[in-house]
Every structure is written in structure tokens, then in C-alpha cells.
Amino acid sequence: VFSLAAVTDWFDGYLARRWGQSTPFGAFLDPVADKLMVSVALVLLVEEHATLHYVHILLTLSAIIIIGREIVVSALREWMAEIGARAQVAVSKLGKWKTTAQMVALVILLANPPQLTAWVILGYTLLIVAAGLTLWSMLQYLLVAWPHLRPDAENK
């Protein structure tokens, strides 16, 4: 189900960009659905992989980083939109790489039992890469927004 949702989400976005079609409702709902789908998958995996004590911490930290970043960046985008600077925190290529690594990792981890097989190790590795890209992209967004976030920004 997750794989089908991820592929149809990508295809929908691809067609919307290619055909230049979007609606305000779709622009609102698509990122919300993506974040909800990923967050639920991560929470379920943290629970399911709890028996892998020695590597479970990697999954848990990755989940915290990914979910936390989504909350921070969503709030940042909303706030930047309120001040008329939404375009400065638009989705970047780095964000697309992060999403790809994250989705592939989640598909692998959801499709395999919580045992240290080559596939599960690949899933963990991709999720750690996704968490690293997540932190990097969040830092980029925050640096772009920093001039607007500084205490003296209102005086300029």
C-alpha cells in the first residue's frame, strides 16, 4: 500500500508539473498527505523494529530527525508565506533527493521483516542518508529564512 501510494504521488506530481496543472486544494493537500504517510510509516517501523536493539536507535533517531524537520520546515514555509517570502523556501533538488532516499528506504523496511538481512541493512542505510539530507536541507531553508527571522528584521 505504501509503495503504491508513493508511486502514485510521484506520478501525480510529475503529471501536474508536466501539464502545468494545479489547484489550491491539491497544493495544500499533497504535502500534508506526503508528511502524514511518511510519519505514520516511520512510527510503525520504530515499533516493529524494536527487537533489533543494537540498530533500533538508528531508526528511532532517523524518524525523530525526519518528522521533526517536516514540522519545522512546514511551519517555516507557512510563516514565510505570511510575510510574502514563500518562494524563498520552495522545494529544492536536495529535498527531492531526500524524499527519494526516504521513500525507497521505507518501502524496503516495510516490505521486510525486522531481521538483519542485506535488504534491511540497505533500508537502514538509505534512511540514515535520508536523515542526513533532511538535516542538510533544513539548515539550507533556515539559512535562507534567517534574515527574516533575526530580531532586527522588522526594522529593515
Side-chain angles (χ1 to χ4, degrees):
V1 171
F2 183 89
S3 300
L4 183 62
V7 168
T8 57
D9 176 59
W10 174 85
F11 192 62
D12 172 62
Y14 172 79
L15 290 177
R17 284 186 300 278
R18 179 143 183 164
W19 294 341
Q21 294 183 343
S22 69
T23 64
F25 182 67
F28 158 74
L29 190 60
D30 185 62
V32 171
D34 293 348
K35 288 165 185 44
L36 183 61
M37 182 175 75
V38 167
S39 297
V40 168
L42 285 167
V43 169
L44 291 173
L45 283 168
V46 166
E47 173 63 25
E48 183 181 354
H49 285 240
T51 57
L52 298 176
H53 302 291
Y54 39 89
V55 293
H56 183 252
I57 190 70
L58 297 173
L59 178 60
T60 303
L61 287 174
S62 296
I64 291 167
I65 289 167
I66 291 168
I67 294 169
R69 180 261 191 201
E70 295 304 339
I71 293 168
V72 169
V73 171
S74 293
L76 180 66
R77 284 188 177 132
E78 183 178 330
W79 181 75
M80 292 290 280
E82 282 183 28
I83 65 168
R86 171 89 162 92
Q88 293 181 19
V89 287
V91 176
S92 67
K93 288 241 187 249
L94 180 60
K96 295 203 181 286
W97 282 106
K98 181 257 325 170
T99 299
T100 300
Q102 176 180 281
M103 292 301 195
V104 171
L106 291 174
V107 167
I108 290 170
L109 292 171
L110 288 167
N112 290 281
Q115 300 167 353
L116 280 185
T117 64
W119 281 109
V120 171
I121 291 169
L122 176 62
Y124 270 104
T125 302
L126 285 172
L127 198 61
I128 292 166
V129 167
L133 292 173
T134 292
L135 288 174
W136 186 6
S137 69
M138 182 176 72
L139 179 61
Q140 285 185 330
Y141 288 128
L142 290 171
L143 288 173
V144 166
W146 180 247
H148 302 284
L149 295 170
R150 292 189 348 229
D152 63 342
E154 292 180 37
N155 299 330
K156 289 188 175 188

